[in-house]
Amino acid sequence: MKKNRFLALLLAGMMCLSLAACGGEPAAPAEEEGEGAASGEATVLKLGTTVNTDDSFQVAAEKFAELVEERTEGAYTIEIHPNGDLGDERTLLESMQMGTLELGIITSGPFVNFSKDMGVLDMPFLFSSNEDVYKILDGEIGQELLATLEDANLKGLAYAERGFRNLTNSVRPVEKAEDVKDLKIRVMENPIYTEAFKAMGVNAVPMAWSDALTAFQQSTVQGQENPINVIYSYKLWESQKYATLTRHAYASAIITMSKQVFDGLPEDVQTIFLEAAQEAAEYERQWTADHEAEQLQAMKDNNMEVCENPDLESFQTAVQSVYDAHPEFEEYITRIQEALS
């Protein structure tokens, strides 16, 4: 027995010496072979939205995904998750902060919770036309504001479009500011929006969009405010009989990325993502403009009473107190006004 054990140990030692003599090191684990870039497999990044596939966000997401895949020659694939499958907008942003979600297209409203400076873009009646909006957002001021998100571990890639927001309700026609008094209206979870509607005498109810849809069906909320494309894509005429084109605020849709994930990309890929996002944003803006007239007509065809020329001066006067309450935005507002003059 002792002899056999000695022979076994001797053979084992000879095998180890043989491997060393050949320069042999343990082989790489099988699972490491062919992974990553060497395998040719695409890196899949998830992009979340809270909207349905008829929405303009989906248009932007699909265009962005197409451009990224094409320009990285298939090395990166964007997997789109609509309908709030990955959570509401605040959840999406928090997931990107933590690096557990790579990308999202998010309405501008929730960003004030991550960068106070972003709140200036939510001020009522700040912009009067799409051209003015694009000049600011695509220019120095807009890019400066996107950069403020980096302190919250978010990377703003580009401003797509949610659009100018309008009021709908299920109670009565609205032609002037006093007509909205005491209506129970859902607003985004954003303090500026809440303050603006409270200044009009509205019972403003901040809530996530997914919750709002249920509230409309159950008639626990009487109205909401959103661009024409949202009113159309969600068929809000089924619960809201009256629409008023107040255009009281412009909401962008920021193509956003986890800064942690963005910083981990090669520099050339970062450039591709930034350029693809800007092109997708401009594509979606044009798509929205091209479809707005037919969407407005669809609202009317579905028996929605639309006030196209409300007394905007009455609304602007009603929300002046919001400007008085936010002196912290005074510098940005002055710069925006000067840039547009």
Side-chain angles (χ1 to χ4, degrees), residues 56 59-65 67 71 105 158-161 255 274-287:
S56 63
V59 172
E62 289 178 359
K63 188 66 174 178
F64 176 69
L67 292 172
R71 293 176 184 178
I105 301 181
Y159 295 96
E161 185 158 271
I255 303 175
L274 287 166
E275 292 177 349
Q278 183 63 30
E279 290 183 38
E282 293 177 14
Y283 179 86
E284 184 252 6
R285 291 173 186 173
Q286 188 59 53
W287 184 93

Coordinates of all heavy atoms in Angstrom, one line a residue, residues 56 59-65 67 71 105 158-161 255 274-287:
S56 N -45.1 59.1 -29.8 CA -43.9 59.6 -30.5 C -42.6 59.2 -29.8 O -41.6 59.1 -30.5 CB -44.0 61.1 -30.6 OG -44.0 61.7 -29.3
V59 N -41.4 56.3 -31.6 CA -40.7 56.7 -32.9 C -39.3 57.1 -32.6 O -38.4 56.7 -33.4 CB -41.5 57.9 -33.5 CG1 -40.8 58.5 -34.7 CG2 -42.9 57.5 -33.9
A60 N -39.1 57.9 -31.6 CA -37.7 58.3 -31.3 C -36.8 57.1 -30.8 O -35.7 57.0 -31.3 CB -37.7 59.4 -30.1
A61 N -37.4 56.3 -30.0 CA -36.7 55.1 -29.6 C -36.2 54.2 -30.7 O -35.1 53.7 -30.8 CB -37.5 54.3 -28.5
E62 N -37.2 53.9 -31.6 CA -36.9 53.0 -32.7 C -35.8 53.7 -33.7 O -34.9 52.9 -34.2 CB -38.1 52.7 -33.5 CG -39.1 51.8 -32.8 CD -40.4 51.6 -33.5 OE1 -40.6 52.1 -34.6 OE2 -41.2 50.8 -33.0
K63 N -35.9 55.0 -33.9 CA -34.9 55.6 -34.7 C -33.5 55.6 -34.1 O -32.5 55.3 -34.7 CB -35.3 57.1 -35.0 CG -34.5 57.8 -36.1 CD -34.6 57.1 -37.4 CE -33.9 57.8 -38.5 NZ -34.0 57.2 -39.8
F64 N -33.5 55.9 -32.8 CA -32.2 55.8 -32.0 C -31.6 54.4 -32.1 O -30.4 54.3 -32.4 CB -32.5 56.2 -30.6 CG -31.3 56.2 -29.7 CD1 -30.2 57.0 -29.9 CD2 -31.2 55.2 -28.7 CE1 -29.1 56.9 -29.0 CE2 -30.1 55.1 -27.9 CZ -29.0 56.0 -28.0
A65 N -32.4 53.4 -31.9 CA -31.9 52.0 -31.9 C -31.4 51.7 -33.3 O -30.3 51.0 -33.4 CB -33.1 51.1 -31.5
L67 N -30.2 53.7 -35.6 CA -28.9 54.4 -35.9 C -27.7 53.8 -35.1 O -26.6 53.7 -35.6 CB -29.1 55.9 -35.5 CG -30.0 56.7 -36.4 CD1 -30.3 58.1 -35.9 CD2 -29.5 56.8 -37.9
R71 N -24.5 52.2 -36.9 CA -23.2 52.9 -36.9 C -22.2 52.2 -36.0 O -21.0 52.5 -36.1 CB -23.5 54.3 -36.4 CG -24.2 55.1 -37.4 CD -24.6 56.5 -36.9 NE -25.4 57.2 -37.9 CZ -25.9 58.4 -37.8 NH1 -25.6 59.1 -36.7 NH2 -26.6 58.9 -38.7
I105 N -36.4 57.2 -22.3 CA -36.8 58.5 -22.9 C -37.9 59.0 -21.9 O -38.9 58.4 -21.7 CB -37.4 58.3 -24.3 CG1 -36.3 57.8 -25.2 CG2 -37.9 59.7 -24.8 CD1 -36.8 57.6 -26.7
A158 N -29.9 64.0 -25.6 CA -30.6 64.9 -26.5 C -32.0 65.2 -26.1 O -32.6 64.4 -25.4 CB -30.6 64.4 -27.9
Y159 N -32.6 66.3 -26.6 CA -34.0 66.6 -26.3 C -34.9 66.2 -27.4 O -34.9 66.9 -28.5 CB -34.1 68.2 -26.1 CG -33.4 68.8 -25.0 CD1 -32.2 69.4 -25.1 CD2 -34.0 68.9 -23.7 CE1 -31.5 70.0 -24.1 CE2 -33.4 69.5 -22.6 CZ -32.1 70.1 -22.8 OH -31.5 70.7 -21.8
A160 N -35.6 65.1 -27.3 CA -36.7 64.8 -28.2 C -37.9 65.7 -27.7 O -37.8 66.6 -26.9 CB -37.0 63.3 -28.2
E161 N -39.1 65.3 -28.2 CA -40.2 66.2 -28.0 C -41.4 65.5 -27.4 O -41.8 64.4 -27.9 CB -40.7 66.8 -29.3 CG -41.8 67.8 -29.2 CD -41.8 68.8 -30.4 OE1 -41.1 69.8 -30.3 OE2 -42.5 68.5 -31.4
I255 N -33.7 62.0 -24.1 CA -33.1 60.7 -24.3 C -32.0 60.7 -23.3 O -31.0 61.4 -23.4 CB -32.6 60.6 -25.7 CG1 -33.8 60.7 -26.7 CG2 -32.0 59.2 -25.9 CD1 -33.4 60.7 -28.2
L274 N -24.3 59.9 -28.8 CA -24.7 61.3 -28.8 C -25.3 61.8 -30.1 O -26.4 62.5 -30.2 CB -23.5 62.2 -28.4 CG -23.1 62.1 -26.9 CD1 -21.7 62.7 -26.7 CD2 -24.1 62.8 -26.0
E275 N -24.6 61.5 -31.2 CA -25.1 61.9 -32.5 C -26.4 61.2 -32.9 O -27.3 61.8 -33.5 CB -24.0 61.7 -33.6 CG -22.8 62.6 -33.4 CD -21.7 62.3 -34.4 OE1 -21.7 61.2 -35.1 OE2 -20.7 63.1 -34.4
A276 N -26.5 59.9 -32.6 CA -27.7 59.2 -32.9 C -28.9 59.7 -32.1 O -30.0 59.8 -32.6 CB -27.5 57.7 -32.6
A277 N -28.7 60.1 -30.9 CA -29.7 60.6 -30.0 C -30.2 61.9 -30.6 O -31.4 62.2 -30.7 CB -29.3 60.8 -28.6
Q278 N -29.3 62.8 -31.0 CA -29.7 64.1 -31.6 C -30.5 63.9 -32.9 O -31.5 64.6 -33.1 CB -28.5 65.0 -31.8 CG -28.8 66.4 -32.3 CD -29.6 67.2 -31.4 OE1 -29.5 67.0 -30.2 NE2 -30.5 68.1 -31.9
E279 N -30.0 63.0 -33.7 CA -30.7 62.8 -35.0 C -32.1 62.1 -34.7 O -33.1 62.5 -35.4 CB -29.9 61.9 -35.9 CG -28.7 62.6 -36.5 CD -27.9 61.7 -37.4 OE1 -28.5 61.0 -38.2 OE2 -26.6 61.8 -37.4
A280 N -32.2 61.2 -33.8 CA -33.5 60.6 -33.5 C -34.4 61.7 -32.9 O -35.6 61.6 -33.2 CB -33.3 59.5 -32.5
A281 N -33.9 62.6 -32.1 CA -34.7 63.6 -31.5 C -35.3 64.5 -32.6 O -36.5 64.8 -32.6 CB -33.9 64.5 -30.5
E282 N -34.5 64.9 -33.5 CA -34.9 65.8 -34.6 C -35.9 65.0 -35.5 O -36.9 65.6 -36.0 CB -33.7 66.3 -35.4 CG -32.9 67.3 -34.6 CD -31.6 67.7 -35.3 OE1 -31.6 67.6 -36.6 OE2 -30.7 68.3 -34.7
Y283 N -35.7 63.8 -35.7 CA -36.6 63.0 -36.5 C -38.0 62.9 -35.9 O -39.0 63.0 -36.5 CB -36.0 61.6 -36.7 CG -36.8 60.6 -37.5 CD1 -36.8 60.5 -38.9 CD2 -37.7 59.7 -36.8 CE1 -37.5 59.6 -39.6 CE2 -38.5 58.8 -37.5 CZ -38.4 58.8 -38.9 OH -39.2 57.9 -39.6
E284 N -38.0 62.7 -34.6 CA -39.2 62.6 -33.8 C -40.0 63.9 -33.8 O -41.2 63.9 -33.9 CB -39.0 62.0 -32.4 CG -40.2 61.8 -31.6 CD -40.4 62.8 -30.5 OE1 -39.6 63.8 -30.4 OE2 -41.3 62.6 -29.7
R285 N -39.2 65.0 -33.7 CA -39.9 66.3 -33.7 C -40.6 66.5 -35.0 O -41.8 67.0 -35.0 CB -38.8 67.4 -33.5 CG -38.1 67.5 -32.2 CD -37.0 68.5 -32.3 NE -36.2 68.6 -31.1 CZ -35.1 69.3 -31.0 NH1 -34.6 70.0 -32.1 NH2 -34.4 69.3 -29.9
Q286 N -40.0 66.2 -36.1 CA -40.6 66.4 -37.4 C -41.8 65.4 -37.5 O -42.9 65.8 -38.1 CB -39.6 66.1 -38.5 CG -40.1 66.4 -39.9 CD -40.5 67.9 -40.0 OE1 -39.7 68.8 -39.7 NE2 -41.8 68.2 -40.5
W287 N -41.7 64.2 -37.0 CA -42.8 63.2 -37.1 C -44.0 63.8 -36.3 O -45.1 63.7 -36.8 CB -42.3 61.9 -36.5 CG -43.4 60.8 -36.5 CD1 -43.5 59.9 -37.5 CD2 -44.4 60.6 -35.6 NE1 -44.6 59.0 -37.2 CE2 -45.1 59.4 -36.1 CE3 -44.8 61.2 -34.4 CZ2 -46.2 58.9 -35.4 CZ3 -45.9 60.6 -33.7 CH2 -46.6 59.5 -34.2

